[in-house]
PDB file of all heavy atoms in Angstrom:
ATOM      1  N   SER A 172      86.887 102.047  74.539  1.00 96.00           N
ATOM      2  CA  SER A 172      86.749 102.769  73.330  1.00 96.00           C
ATOM      3  C   SER A 172      85.363 103.447  73.288  1.00 96.00           C
ATOM      4  O   SER A 172      84.328 102.830  73.501  1.00 96.00           O
ATOM      5  CB  SER A 172      86.911 101.862  72.143  1.00 96.00           C
ATOM      6  OG  SER A 172      86.726 102.497  70.937  1.00 96.00           O
ATOM      7  N   GLY A 173      85.357 104.768  73.044  1.00 96.00           N
ATOM      8  CA  GLY A 173      84.149 105.511  72.994  1.00 96.00           C
ATOM      9  C   GLY A 173      83.393 105.806  74.223  1.00 96.00           C
ATOM     10  O   GLY A 173      82.330 106.341  74.292  1.00 96.00           O
ATOM     11  N   LYS A 174      84.099 105.571  75.408  1.00 97.00           N
ATOM     12  CA  LYS A 174      83.444 105.774  76.742  1.00 97.00           C
ATOM     13  C   LYS A 174      84.258 106.724  77.549  1.00 97.00           C
ATOM     14  O   LYS A 174      85.463 106.945  77.301  1.00 97.00           O
ATOM     15  CB  LYS A 174      83.242 104.414  77.416  1.00 97.00           C
ATOM     16  CG  LYS A 174      82.246 103.500  76.747  1.00 97.00           C
ATOM     17  CD  LYS A 174      81.962 102.330  77.662  1.00 97.00           C
ATOM     18  CE  LYS A 174      80.904 101.457  77.004  1.00 97.00           C
ATOM     19  NZ  LYS A 174      80.448 100.224  77.897  1.00 97.00           N
ATOM     20  N   GLU A 175      83.670 107.226  78.568  1.00 97.00           N
ATOM     21  CA  GLU A 175      84.330 108.058  79.562  1.00 97.00           C
ATOM     22  C   GLU A 175      85.350 107.272  80.383  1.00 97.00           C
ATOM     23  O   GLU A 175      85.201 106.078  80.552  1.00 97.00           O
ATOM     24  CB  GLU A 175      83.285 108.738  80.559  1.00 97.00           C
ATOM     25  CG  GLU A 175      82.328 109.698  79.899  1.00 97.00           C
ATOM     26  CD  GLU A 175      83.015 111.045  79.468  1.00 97.00           C
ATOM     27  OE1 GLU A 175      83.740 111.511  80.382  1.00 97.00           O
ATOM     28  OE2 GLU A 175      82.898 111.536  78.368  1.00 97.00           O
ATOM     29  N   ARG A 176      86.403 108.042  80.940  1.00 97.00           N
ATOM     30  CA  ARG A 176      87.315 107.357  81.781  1.00 97.00           C
ATOM     31  C   ARG A 176      86.596 106.970  83.066  1.00 97.00           C
ATOM     32  O   ARG A 176      85.906 107.837  83.714  1.00 97.00           O
ATOM     33  CB  ARG A 176      88.496 108.289  82.122  1.00 97.00           C
ATOM     34  CG  ARG A 176      89.679 107.565  82.690  1.00 97.00           C
ATOM     35  CD  ARG A 176      90.912 108.352  82.592  1.00 97.00           C
ATOM     36  NE  ARG A 176      91.401 108.474  81.198  1.00 97.00           N
ATOM     37  CZ  ARG A 176      92.543 108.870  80.800  1.00 97.00           C
ATOM     38  NH1 ARG A 176      93.410 109.326  81.761  1.00 97.00           N
ATOM     39  NH2 ARG A 176      92.916 108.927  79.566  1.00 97.00           N
ATOM     40  N   GLU A 177      86.718 105.784  83.535  1.00 98.00           N
ATOM     41  CA  GLU A 177      86.021 105.224  84.691  1.00 98.00           C
ATOM     42  C   GLU A 177      86.964 104.904  85.838  1.00 98.00           C
ATOM     43  O   GLU A 177      88.000 104.344  85.623  1.00 98.00           O
ATOM     44  CB  GLU A 177      85.285 103.975  84.286  1.00 98.00           C
ATOM     45  CG  GLU A 177      84.559 103.210  85.345  1.00 98.00           C
ATOM     46  CD  GLU A 177      84.125 101.820  84.868  1.00 98.00           C
ATOM     47  OE1 GLU A 177      84.637 101.357  83.812  1.00 98.00           O
ATOM     48  OE2 GLU A 177      83.265 101.235  85.549  1.00 98.00           O
ATOM     49  N   PHE A 178      86.622 105.278  87.065  1.00 98.00           N
ATOM     50  CA  PHE A 178      87.350 104.880  88.260  1.00 98.00           C
ATOM     51  C   PHE A 178      87.266 103.498  88.501  1.00 98.00           C
ATOM     52  O   PHE A 178      86.225 102.812  88.418  1.00 98.00           O
ATOM     53  CB  PHE A 178      86.717 105.717  89.439  1.00 98.00           C
ATOM     54  CG  PHE A 178      87.311 105.242  90.825  1.00 98.00           C
ATOM     55  CD1 PHE A 178      88.503 105.635  91.090  1.00 98.00           C
ATOM     56  CD2 PHE A 178      86.676 104.396  91.580  1.00 98.00           C
ATOM     57  CE1 PHE A 178      89.032 105.204  92.391  1.00 98.00           C
ATOM     58  CE2 PHE A 178      87.106 104.041  92.856  1.00 98.00           C
ATOM     59  CZ  PHE A 178      88.283 104.383  93.228  1.00 98.00           C
ATOM     60  N   VAL A 179      88.375 102.832  88.802  1.00 98.00           N
ATOM     61  CA  VAL A 179      88.502 101.381  89.087  1.00 98.00           C
ATOM     62  C   VAL A 179      88.749 101.136  90.573  1.00 98.00           C
ATOM     63  O   VAL A 179      87.989 100.511  91.269  1.00 98.00           O
ATOM     64  CB  VAL A 179      89.584 100.777  88.152  1.00 98.00           C
ATOM     65  CG1 VAL A 179      89.786  99.264  88.655  1.00 98.00           C
ATOM     66  CG2 VAL A 179      89.211 100.866  86.746  1.00 98.00           C
ATOM     67  N   ALA A 180      89.853 101.687  91.116  1.00 98.00           N
ATOM     68  CA  ALA A 180      90.225 101.429  92.489  1.00 98.00           C
ATOM     69  C   ALA A 180      91.246 102.532  92.947  1.00 98.00           C
ATOM     70  O   ALA A 180      91.946 103.064  92.026  1.00 98.00           O
ATOM     71  CB  ALA A 180      90.832 100.046  92.636  1.00 98.00           C
ATOM     72  N   SER A 181      91.297 102.772  94.202  1.00 97.00           N
ATOM     73  CA  SER A 181      92.354 103.658  94.773  1.00 97.00           C
ATOM     74  C   SER A 181      92.895 103.166  96.044  1.00 97.00           C
ATOM     75  O   SER A 181      92.252 102.350  96.697  1.00 97.00           O
ATOM     76  CB  SER A 181      91.722 105.080  94.948  1.00 97.00           C
ATOM     77  OG  SER A 181      90.670 104.995  95.837  1.00 97.00           O
ATOM     78  N   ILE A 182      94.058 103.694  96.461  1.00 95.00           N
ATOM     79  CA  ILE A 182      94.741 103.303  97.699  1.00 95.00           C
ATOM     80  C   ILE A 182      95.478 104.537  98.271  1.00 95.00           C
ATOM     81  O   ILE A 182      96.146 105.182  97.467  1.00 95.00           O
ATOM     82  CB  ILE A 182      95.565 102.054  97.427  1.00 95.00           C
ATOM     83  CG1 ILE A 182      96.214 101.557  98.812  1.00 95.00           C
ATOM     84  CG2 ILE A 182      96.737 102.284  96.400  1.00 95.00           C
ATOM     85  CD1 ILE A 182      96.837 100.148  98.658  1.00 95.00           C
ATOM     86  N   THR A 183      95.369 104.765  99.412  1.00 92.00           N
ATOM     87  CA  THR A 183      96.159 105.810 100.039  1.00 92.00           C
ATOM     88  C   THR A 183      97.560 105.372 100.371  1.00 92.00           C
ATOM     89  O   THR A 183      97.739 104.134 100.792  1.00 92.00           O
ATOM     90  CB  THR A 183      95.551 106.291 101.380  1.00 92.00           C
ATOM     91  OG1 THR A 183      95.415 105.155 102.188  1.00 92.00           O
ATOM     92  CG2 THR A 183      94.127 106.843 101.162  1.00 92.00           C
ATOM     93  N   TRP A 184      98.507 106.182 100.110  1.00 87.00           N
ATOM     94  CA  TRP A 184      99.879 105.777 100.263  1.00 87.00           C
ATOM     95  C   TRP A 184     100.223 105.517 101.787  1.00 87.00           C
ATOM     96  O   TRP A 184     100.975 104.635 102.126  1.00 87.00           O
ATOM     97  CB  TRP A 184     100.865 106.758  99.675  1.00 87.00           C
ATOM     98  CG  TRP A 184     102.148 106.102  99.350  1.00 87.00           C
ATOM     99  CD1 TRP A 184     103.404 106.384  99.914  1.00 87.00           C
ATOM    100  CD2 TRP A 184     102.458 105.145  98.309  1.00 87.00           C
ATOM    101  NE1 TRP A 184     104.353 105.616  99.408  1.00 87.00           N
ATOM    102  CE2 TRP A 184     103.844 104.870  98.374  1.00 87.00           C
ATOM    103  CE3 TRP A 184     101.701 104.455  97.311  1.00 87.00           C
ATOM    104  CZ2 TRP A 184     104.489 103.919  97.533  1.00 87.00           C
ATOM    105  CZ3 TRP A 184     102.270 103.577  96.593  1.00 87.00           C
ATOM    106  CH2 TRP A 184     103.580 103.263  96.648  1.00 87.00           C
ATOM    107  N   ASN A 185      99.564 106.350 102.546  1.00 86.00           N
ATOM    108  CA  ASN A 185      99.750 106.198 104.013  1.00 86.00           C
ATOM    109  C   ASN A 185      98.580 105.399 104.600  1.00 86.00           C
ATOM    110  O   ASN A 185      97.412 105.809 104.470  1.00 86.00           O
ATOM    111  CB  ASN A 185      99.822 107.599 104.686  1.00 86.00           C
ATOM    112  CG  ASN A 185     100.013 107.513 106.116  1.00 86.00           C
ATOM    113  OD1 ASN A 185     100.634 106.619 106.631  1.00 86.00           O
ATOM    114  ND2 ASN A 185      99.481 108.475 106.798  1.00 86.00           N
ATOM    115  N   GLY A 186      98.906 104.306 104.998  1.00 86.00           N
ATOM    116  CA  GLY A 186      97.762 103.448 105.630  1.00 86.00           C
ATOM    117  C   GLY A 186      97.177 102.422 104.681  1.00 86.00           C
ATOM    118  O   GLY A 186      96.637 101.352 105.143  1.00 86.00           O
ATOM    119  N   GLY A 187      97.332 102.576 103.351  1.00 89.00           N
ATOM    120  CA  GLY A 187      96.900 101.548 102.398  1.00 89.00           C
ATOM    121  C   GLY A 187      95.368 101.378 102.389  1.00 89.00           C
ATOM    122  O   GLY A 187      94.915 100.270 102.100  1.00 89.00           O
ATOM    123  N   TYR A 188      94.617 102.430 102.723  1.00 94.00           N
ATOM    124  CA  TYR A 188      93.126 102.314 102.646  1.00 94.00           C
ATOM    125  C   TYR A 188      92.770 102.198 101.233  1.00 94.00           C
ATOM    126  O   TYR A 188      93.130 102.955 100.342  1.00 94.00           O
ATOM    127  CB  TYR A 188      92.476 103.503 103.308  1.00 94.00           C
ATOM    128  CG  TYR A 188      92.872 103.523 104.827  1.00 94.00           C
ATOM    129  CD1 TYR A 188      93.795 104.432 105.356  1.00 94.00           C
ATOM    130  CD2 TYR A 188      92.291 102.633 105.743  1.00 94.00           C
ATOM    131  CE1 TYR A 188      94.116 104.497 106.603  1.00 94.00           C
ATOM    132  CE2 TYR A 188      92.710 102.666 107.097  1.00 94.00           C
ATOM    133  CZ  TYR A 188      93.623 103.567 107.558  1.00 94.00           C
ATOM    134  OH  TYR A 188      94.019 103.646 108.792  1.00 94.00           O
ATOM    135  N   THR A 189      91.830 101.356 100.926  1.00 96.00           N
ATOM    136  CA  THR A 189      91.314 101.018  99.518  1.00 96.00           C
ATOM    137  C   THR A 189      89.939 101.452  99.258  1.00 96.00           C
ATOM    138  O   THR A 189      89.115 101.480 100.236  1.00 96.00           O
ATOM    139  CB  THR A 189      91.645  99.592  99.221  1.00 96.00           C
ATOM    140  OG1 THR A 189      90.871  98.746 100.076  1.00 96.00           O
ATOM    141  CG2 THR A 189      93.075  99.274  99.214  1.00 96.00           C
ATOM    142  N   TYR A 190      89.636 101.621  98.037  1.00 97.00           N
ATOM    143  CA  TYR A 190      88.271 101.973  97.674  1.00 97.00           C
ATOM    144  C   TYR A 190      88.097 101.432  96.182  1.00 97.00           C
ATOM    145  O   TYR A 190      88.990 101.595  95.360  1.00 97.00           O
ATOM    146  CB  TYR A 190      87.992 103.400  97.750  1.00 97.00           C
ATOM    147  CG  TYR A 190      86.651 103.842  97.360  1.00 97.00           C
ATOM    148  CD1 TYR A 190      85.524 103.514  98.132  1.00 97.00           C
ATOM    149  CD2 TYR A 190      86.404 104.669  96.217  1.00 97.00           C
ATOM    150  CE1 TYR A 190      84.255 103.946  97.777  1.00 97.00           C
ATOM    151  CE2 TYR A 190      85.131 105.114  95.918  1.00 97.00           C
ATOM    152  CZ  TYR A 190      84.016 104.725  96.660  1.00 97.00           C
ATOM    153  OH  TYR A 190      82.770 105.146  96.331  1.00 97.00           O
ATOM    154  N   TYR A 191      86.892 100.917  95.900  1.00 98.00           N
ATOM    155  CA  TYR A 191      86.721 100.207  94.532  1.00 98.00           C
ATOM    156  C   TYR A 191      85.442 100.735  93.907  1.00 98.00           C
ATOM    157  O   TYR A 191      84.456 101.037  94.439  1.00 98.00           O
ATOM    158  CB  TYR A 191      86.613  98.674  94.777  1.00 98.00           C
ATOM    159  CG  TYR A 191      87.838  98.062  95.280  1.00 98.00           C
ATOM    160  CD1 TYR A 191      88.111  97.859  96.630  1.00 98.00           C
ATOM    161  CD2 TYR A 191      88.846  97.667  94.334  1.00 98.00           C
ATOM    162  CE1 TYR A 191      89.256  97.308  97.065  1.00 98.00           C
ATOM    163  CE2 TYR A 191      90.074  97.036  94.809  1.00 98.00           C
ATOM    164  CZ  TYR A 191      90.190  96.988  96.181  1.00 98.00           C
ATOM    165  OH  TYR A 191      91.358  96.336  96.621  1.00 98.00           O
ATOM    166  N   GLY A 192      85.524 100.766  92.584  1.00 98.00           N
ATOM    167  CA  GLY A 192      84.342 100.988  91.793  1.00 98.00           C
ATOM    168  C   GLY A 192      83.391  99.773  91.879  1.00 98.00           C
ATOM    169  O   GLY A 192      83.794  98.633  92.063  1.00 98.00           O
ATOM    170  N   ASP A 193      82.139 100.056  91.696  1.00 97.00           N
ATOM    171  CA  ASP A 193      81.118  98.985  91.881  1.00 97.00           C
ATOM    172  C   ASP A 193      81.379  97.880  90.839  1.00 97.00           C
ATOM    173  O   ASP A 193      81.083  96.678  91.241  1.00 97.00           O
ATOM    174  CB  ASP A 193      79.702  99.596  91.740  1.00 97.00           C
ATOM    175  CG  ASP A 193      79.291 100.386  92.907  1.00 97.00           C
ATOM    176  OD1 ASP A 193      79.848 100.320  93.957  1.00 97.00           O
ATOM    177  OD2 ASP A 193      78.353 101.232  92.754  1.00 97.00           O
ATOM    178  N   SER A 194      81.712  98.165  89.712  1.00 97.00           N
ATOM    179  CA  SER A 194      81.896  97.199  88.639  1.00 97.00           C
ATOM    180  C   SER A 194      83.024  96.121  88.843  1.00 97.00           C
ATOM    181  O   SER A 194      83.025  95.108  88.275  1.00 97.00           O
ATOM    182  CB  SER A 194      82.038  97.811  87.283  1.00 97.00           C
ATOM    183  OG  SER A 194      83.216  98.570  87.246  1.00 97.00           O
ATOM    184  N   VAL A 195      83.923  96.453  89.768  1.00 98.00           N
ATOM    185  CA  VAL A 195      85.012  95.605  90.012  1.00 98.00           C
ATOM    186  C   VAL A 195      85.218  95.002  91.456  1.00 98.00           C
ATOM    187  O   VAL A 195      86.083  94.216  91.676  1.00 98.00           O
ATOM    188  CB  VAL A 195      86.397  96.300  89.647  1.00 98.00           C
ATOM    189  CG1 VAL A 195      86.359  96.872  88.315  1.00 98.00           C
ATOM    190  CG2 VAL A 195      86.762  97.375  90.688  1.00 98.00           C
ATOM    191  N   LYS A 196      84.249  95.468  92.272  1.00 97.00           N
ATOM    192  CA  LYS A 196      84.245  94.971  93.635  1.00 97.00           C
ATOM    193  C   LYS A 196      84.332  93.467  93.728  1.00 97.00           C
ATOM    194  O   LYS A 196      83.395  92.883  93.129  1.00 97.00           O
ATOM    195  CB  LYS A 196      83.165  95.564  94.501  1.00 97.00           C
ATOM    196  CG  LYS A 196      83.310  96.989  94.973  1.00 97.00           C
ATOM    197  CD  LYS A 196      82.131  97.428  95.724  1.00 97.00           C
ATOM    198  CE  LYS A 196      82.322  98.863  96.132  1.00 97.00           C
ATOM    199  NZ  LYS A 196      81.097  99.466  96.777  1.00 97.00           N
ATOM    200  N   GLY A 197      85.175  92.873  94.574  1.00 97.00           N
ATOM    201  CA  GLY A 197      85.129  91.477  94.699  1.00 97.00           C
ATOM    202  C   GLY A 197      85.913  90.723  93.692  1.00 97.00           C
ATOM    203  O   GLY A 197      86.274  89.522  93.799  1.00 97.00           O
ATOM    204  N   ARG A 198      86.365  91.419  92.528  1.00 98.00           N
ATOM    205  CA  ARG A 198      87.160  90.766  91.599  1.00 98.00           C
ATOM    206  C   ARG A 198      88.547  91.360  91.420  1.00 98.00           C
ATOM    207  O   ARG A 198      89.563  90.644  91.133  1.00 98.00           O
ATOM    208  CB  ARG A 198      86.431  90.942  90.174  1.00 98.00           C
ATOM    209  CG  ARG A 198      85.065  90.321  90.117  1.00 98.00           C
ATOM    210  CD  ARG A 198      84.541  90.293  88.691  1.00 98.00           C
ATOM    211  NE  ARG A 198      84.376  91.697  88.127  1.00 98.00           N
ATOM    212  CZ  ARG A 198      84.989  92.143  87.100  1.00 98.00           C
ATOM    213  NH1 ARG A 198      85.736  91.325  86.368  1.00 98.00           N
ATOM    214  NH2 ARG A 198      84.747  93.371  86.604  1.00 98.00           N
ATOM    215  N   PHE A 199      88.683  92.622  91.730  1.00 98.00           N
ATOM    216  CA  PHE A 199      89.983  93.281  91.576  1.00 98.00           C
ATOM    217  C   PHE A 199      90.428  93.744  92.910  1.00 98.00           C
ATOM    218  O   PHE A 199      89.638  94.038  93.909  1.00 98.00           O
ATOM    219  CB  PHE A 199      89.839  94.615  90.738  1.00 98.00           C
ATOM    220  CG  PHE A 199      89.472  94.437  89.345  1.00 98.00           C
ATOM    221  CD1 PHE A 199      89.179  93.204  88.836  1.00 98.00           C
ATOM    222  CD2 PHE A 199      89.649  95.604  88.425  1.00 98.00           C
ATOM    223  CE1 PHE A 199      88.884  93.085  87.366  1.00 98.00           C
ATOM    224  CE2 PHE A 199      89.335  95.432  87.086  1.00 98.00           C
ATOM    225  CZ  PHE A 199      89.002  94.181  86.570  1.00 98.00           C
ATOM    226  N   THR A 200      91.788  93.692  93.083  1.00 98.00           N
ATOM    227  CA  THR A 200      92.463  94.172  94.321  1.00 98.00           C
ATOM    228  C   THR A 200      93.554  95.078  93.945  1.00 98.00           C
ATOM    229  O   THR A 200      94.447  94.826  93.191  1.00 98.00           O
ATOM    230  CB  THR A 200      92.999  92.900  95.133  1.00 98.00           C
ATOM    231  OG1 THR A 200      91.917  91.953  95.365  1.00 98.00           O
ATOM    232  CG2 THR A 200      93.635  93.343  96.385  1.00 98.00           C
ATOM    233  N   ILE A 201      93.579  96.275  94.634  1.00 98.00           N
ATOM    234  CA  ILE A 201      94.610  97.184  94.617  1.00 98.00           C
ATOM    235  C   ILE A 201      95.604  97.057  95.861  1.00 98.00           C
ATOM    236  O   ILE A 201      95.047  96.945  96.879  1.00 98.00           O
ATOM    237  CB  ILE A 201      94.164  98.642  94.458  1.00 98.00           C
ATOM    238  CG1 ILE A 201      95.290  99.584  94.028  1.00 98.00           C
ATOM    239  CG2 ILE A 201      93.369  99.119  95.574  1.00 98.00           C
ATOM    240  CD1 ILE A 201      94.793 101.051  93.661  1.00 98.00           C
ATOM    241  N   PHE A 202      96.848  97.025  95.575  1.00 97.00           N
ATOM    242  CA  PHE A 202      97.786  97.059  96.695  1.00 97.00           C
ATOM    243  C   PHE A 202      99.106  97.678  96.334  1.00 97.00           C
ATOM    244  O   PHE A 202      99.289  97.975  95.159  1.00 97.00           O
ATOM    245  CB  PHE A 202      98.055  95.619  97.200  1.00 97.00           C
ATOM    246  CG  PHE A 202      98.597  94.602  96.216  1.00 97.00           C
ATOM    247  CD1 PHE A 202     100.003  94.294  96.201  1.00 97.00           C
ATOM    248  CD2 PHE A 202      97.779  94.042  95.209  1.00 97.00           C
ATOM    249  CE1 PHE A 202     100.487  93.452  95.307  1.00 97.00           C
ATOM    250  CE2 PHE A 202      98.337  93.134  94.336  1.00 97.00           C
ATOM    251  CZ  PHE A 202      99.668  92.823  94.307  1.00 97.00           C
ATOM    252  N   ARG A 203      99.895  97.986  97.290  1.00 94.00           N
ATOM    253  CA  ARG A 203     101.169  98.757  97.034  1.00 94.00           C
ATOM    254  C   ARG A 203     102.317  98.095  97.643  1.00 94.00           C
ATOM    255  O   ARG A 203     102.200  97.426  98.660  1.00 94.00           O
ATOM    256  CB  ARG A 203     100.980 100.148  97.545  1.00 94.00           C
ATOM    257  CG  ARG A 203     101.188 100.273  98.985  1.00 94.00           C
ATOM    258  CD  ARG A 203     100.530 101.565  99.572  1.00 94.00           C
ATOM    259  NE  ARG A 203     100.832 101.860 100.929  1.00 94.00           N
ATOM    260  CZ  ARG A 203     100.562 101.060 102.014  1.00 94.00           C
ATOM    261  NH1 ARG A 203      99.922  99.965 101.823  1.00 94.00           N
ATOM    262  NH2 ARG A 203     100.809 101.475 103.248  1.00 94.00           N
ATOM    263  N   ASP A 204     103.439  98.313  97.108  1.00 92.00           N
ATOM    264  CA  ASP A 204     104.790  97.911  97.608  1.00 92.00           C
ATOM    265  C   ASP A 204     105.531  99.230  97.919  1.00 92.00           C
ATOM    266  O   ASP A 204     106.117  99.863  96.949  1.00 92.00           O
ATOM    267  CB  ASP A 204     105.527  96.995  96.717  1.00 92.00           C
ATOM    268  CG  ASP A 204     106.852  96.436  97.349  1.00 92.00           C
ATOM    269  OD1 ASP A 204     107.421  97.200  98.137  1.00 92.00           O
ATOM    270  OD2 ASP A 204     107.205  95.375  96.980  1.00 92.00           O
ATOM    271  N   SER A 205     105.514  99.728  99.084  1.00 88.00           N
ATOM    272  CA  SER A 205     106.152 101.061  99.400  1.00 88.00           C
ATOM    273  C   SER A 205     107.605 101.062  99.128  1.00 88.00           C
ATOM    274  O   SER A 205     108.173 102.063  98.555  1.00 88.00           O
ATOM    275  CB  SER A 205     105.926 101.405 100.821  1.00 88.00           C
ATOM    276  OG  SER A 205     104.601 101.415 101.154  1.00 88.00           O
ATOM    277  N   ALA A 206     108.322  99.917  99.350  1.00 88.00           N
ATOM    278  CA  ALA A 206     109.749  99.886  99.069  1.00 88.00           C
ATOM    279  C   ALA A 206     110.122 100.093  97.643  1.00 88.00           C
ATOM    280  O   ALA A 206     111.107 100.611  97.249  1.00 88.00           O
ATOM    281  CB  ALA A 206     110.287  98.568  99.655  1.00 88.00           C
ATOM    282  N   LYS A 207     109.198  99.540  96.770  1.00 91.00           N
ATOM    283  CA  LYS A 207     109.389  99.742  95.369  1.00 91.00           C
ATOM    284  C   LYS A 207     108.677 100.801  94.680  1.00 91.00           C
ATOM    285  O   LYS A 207     108.747 101.017  93.427  1.00 91.00           O
ATOM    286  CB  LYS A 207     108.919  98.343  94.634  1.00 91.00           C
ATOM    287  CG  LYS A 207     109.715  97.167  95.069  1.00 91.00           C
ATOM    288  CD  LYS A 207     109.202  95.914  94.375  1.00 91.00           C
ATOM    289  CE  LYS A 207     110.086  94.659  94.683  1.00 91.00           C
ATOM    290  NZ  LYS A 207     109.633  93.407  93.965  1.00 91.00           N
ATOM    291  N   SER A 208     107.907 101.622  95.499  1.00 90.00           N
ATOM    292  CA  SER A 208     107.167 102.723  94.916  1.00 90.00           C
ATOM    293  C   SER A 208     106.226 102.228  93.779  1.00 90.00           C
ATOM    294  O   SER A 208     106.223 102.851  92.739  1.00 90.00           O
ATOM    295  CB  SER A 208     108.032 103.874  94.540  1.00 90.00           C
ATOM    296  OG  SER A 208     108.695 104.500  95.612  1.00 90.00           O
ATOM    297  N   THR A 209     105.573 101.165  94.027  1.00 93.00           N
ATOM    298  CA  THR A 209     104.798 100.516  92.940  1.00 93.00           C
ATOM    299  C   THR A 209     103.444 100.144  93.460  1.00 93.00           C
ATOM    300  O   THR A 209     103.271  99.690  94.570  1.00 93.00           O
ATOM    301  CB  THR A 209     105.575  99.203  92.484  1.00 93.00           C
ATOM    302  OG1 THR A 209     106.787  99.528  91.884  1.00 93.00           O
ATOM    303  CG2 THR A 209     104.753  98.560  91.345  1.00 93.00           C
ATOM    304  N   VAL A 210     102.475 100.428  92.656  1.00 95.00           N
ATOM    305  CA  VAL A 210     101.055 100.005  92.935  1.00 95.00           C
ATOM    306  C   VAL A 210     100.652  99.023  91.921  1.00 95.00           C
ATOM    307  O   VAL A 210     101.013  99.080  90.772  1.00 95.00           O
ATOM    308  CB  VAL A 210     100.163 101.272  92.833  1.00 95.00           C
ATOM    309  CG1 VAL A 210      98.721 100.851  92.910  1.00 95.00           C
ATOM    310  CG2 VAL A 210     100.522 102.307  93.814  1.00 95.00           C
TER     311      VAL A 210
END
């Protein structure tokens, strides 16, 4: 509330390469299930 939209994490659909924002590194994990088209 009252703040800018902040990047949390991303993942490439091909290869599953990940990248995290500094505030969530080590606590959050992004992953995908290609068969379910779900992140």
